[in-house]
């Protein structure tokens, strides 16, 4: 597990600025996490597979966001304080600023990302509340500009890892970061293209998540579920398709987060 000595070392690296030496030091920790010699506190061992499958940029982004949260006195290693905790918007703002600085220093910040994506991967195929989707007919993967609908950017990044853990058929792999024309922070990621045979039924969605330890949360909406550790929401048919080739339901998108009410 990440211990306090490890965390203090990370804070020293980041506080020195994202210098080439600092970036190299952070990359060492990212590699350790990929190799399984270090962990991120919030994830258990099976969930770490989802973290690692999203790629080194997600791991680095999670670390940077945790450090930004820590700087406000709310992180896992923050000392106890009697001052009121910062609001989610303050945490989100600090995480976005710090993550953009890291991404720029690392060369994975893509200004004018929509133009770059269209020239490299093809036109925009679809747009929803959370993502803009780019690609060409026949491609095995699509590219998404994914914005956060979570309380903080850190929570949105956790959701990518948790999605990969729950639904490895549609793994999201982070390749960069940007802001769109409206100034919204967006994560750039790839995801396998799913050829939709039809939308999944409620019964099929229930079966898909029941085997993963989820049950309907009973709110009457029929699209939100609970397990012992996680909230799984927005599991409606537009987000769960029956795939053409396998004839089985697959989840392409959802809202997933830790239960912090425990």
């Amino acid at each position: 597990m990440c211990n306090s000595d490890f965390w203090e070392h990370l804070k020293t690296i980041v506080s020195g600025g994202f210098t080439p030496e600092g970036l190299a030091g952070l990359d060492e920790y990212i590699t350790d996490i990929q190799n399984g010699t270090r962990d991120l506190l919030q994830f258990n061992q099976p969930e770490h597979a989802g973290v690692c499958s999203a790629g080194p940029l997600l791991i680095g982004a999670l670390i940077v966001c945790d450090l930004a949260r820590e700087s406000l006195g709310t992180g896992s290693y923050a000392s106890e304080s009697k001052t009121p905790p910062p609001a989610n918007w303050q945490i989100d703002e600090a995480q976005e600023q710090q993550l953009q600085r890291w991404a720029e220093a690392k060369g994975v910040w893509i200004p004018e990302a929509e133009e770059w994506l269209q020239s490299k991967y093809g036109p925009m195929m679809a747009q929803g509340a959370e993502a803009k989707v780019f690609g060409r007919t026949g491609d095995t993967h699509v590219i998404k500009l994914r914005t956060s609908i979570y309380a903080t950017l850190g929570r949105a990044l956790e959701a990518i890892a948790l999605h990969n853990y729950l639904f490895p058929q549609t793994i999201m792999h982070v390749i960069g970061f940007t802001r769109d024309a409206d100034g919204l922070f967006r994560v750039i990621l790839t995801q396998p293209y799913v050829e939709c045979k039809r939308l999944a039924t409620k019964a099929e969605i229930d079966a898909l998540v029941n085997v993963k330890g989820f049950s309907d949360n009973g709110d009457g909406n029929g699209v939100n579920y609970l397990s012992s550790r996680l909230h799984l929401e927005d599991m409606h048919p537009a987000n769960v398709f029956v795939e053409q080739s396998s004839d089985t339901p697959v989840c392409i998108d959802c809202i997933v987060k830790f239960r912090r009410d425990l």
Side-chain angles (χ1 to χ4, degrees), residues 196 198-201 205 223 234-241 250-254:
C196 176
R198 59 176 173 80
L199 302 183
T201 64
I205 296 171
V223 296
D234 211 27
M235 291 289 289
H236 56 75
N239 285 336
V240 186
F241 298 164
V250 295
C251 176
I252 60 167
D253 212 346
C254 63

Side-chain angles (χ1 to χ4, degrees), residues 2-260:
C2 292
N3 56 36
S4 58
D5 290 339
F6 161 68
W7 205 244
E8 288 302 318
H9 192 187
L10 281 178
K11 287 165 68 175
T12 301
I13 289 173
V14 174
S15 65
F18 293 113
T19 63
E21 294 79 12
L23 289 173
L26 189 53
D27 284 345
E28 287 183 19
Y29 288 113
I30 292 171
T31 300
D32 286 346
I33 290 168
Q34 287 183 297
N35 292 339
T37 57
R38 294 190 188 275
D39 298 326
L40 295 173
L41 277 178
Q42 63 267 52
F43 299 98
N44 64 25
Q45 187 174 2
E47 291 160 359
H48 262 88
V51 174
C52 293
S53 64
L57 291 186
L58 179 77
I59 298 172
L62 284 166
I63 293 172
V64 170
C65 282
D66 282 349
L67 288 165
R69 188 183 183 99
E70 175 93 357
S71 71
L72 299 175
T74 66
S76 299
Y77 295 106
S79 59
E80 292 186 9
S81 172
K82 295 182 180 179
T83 59
N88 283 331
W89 70 264
Q90 293 172 300
I91 298 170
D92 187 59
E93 186 176 82
Q95 290 177 335
E96 287 190 5
Q97 291 174 352
Q98 192 79 302
L99 186 50
Q100 181 170 347
R101 285 194 288 268
W102 172 70
E104 288 172 340
K106 196 167 178 61
V108 293
W109 183 262
I110 313 295
E112 311 296 336
E114 290 195 35
E115 295 179 12
W116 177 74
L117 288 173
Q118 290 185 58
S119 64
K120 188 174 178 65
Y121 297 103
M124 186 165 67
M125 304 168 62
Q127 179 175 357
E130 191 172 5
K132 297 180 181 180
V133 184
F134 298 81
R136 296 185 177 92
T137 302
D139 287 352
T140 59
H141 287 69
V142 296
I143 313 298
K144 289 186 173 181
L145 279 180
R146 181 180 169 103
T147 192
S148 173
I149 57 174
Y150 294 78
T152 67
L153 177 57
R155 301 291 185 248
L157 295 171
E158 289 176 348
I160 293 172
L162 294 173
H163 171 98
N164 289 359
Y165 155 65
L166 291 171
F167 307 112
Q169 304 92 334
T170 53
I171 280 175
M172 300 178 183
H173 187 90
V174 177
I175 62 173
F177 307 91
T178 190
R179 288 187 187 273
D180 63 18
D182 296 322
L184 292 175
F185 194 103
R186 288 187 179 263
V187 180
I188 309 172
L189 54 83
T190 68
Q191 190 176 31
Y193 173 74
V194 176
E195 186 175 359
C196 176
K197 179 179 180 180
R198 59 176 173 80
L199 302 183
T201 64
K202 165 67 172 168
E204 288 170 327
I205 296 171
D206 284 347
L208 174 67
V209 300
N210 288 164
V211 297
K212 300 176 187 294
F214 289 88
S215 57
D216 194 300
N217 75 349
D219 65 358
N221 293 323
V223 296
N224 301 322
Y225 300 84
L226 287 175
S227 75
S228 60
R229 278 179 59 83
L230 303 173
H231 292 272
L232 182 58
E233 303 172 3
D234 211 27
M235 291 289 289
H236 56 75
N239 285 336
V240 186
F241 298 164
V242 172
E243 186 181 21
Q244 180 69 44
S245 59
S246 67
D247 201 33
T248 58
V250 295
C251 176
I252 60 167
D253 212 346
C254 63
I255 297 171
V256 57
K257 51 196 174 184
F258 289 110
R259 290 186 62 174
R260 291 181 165 91

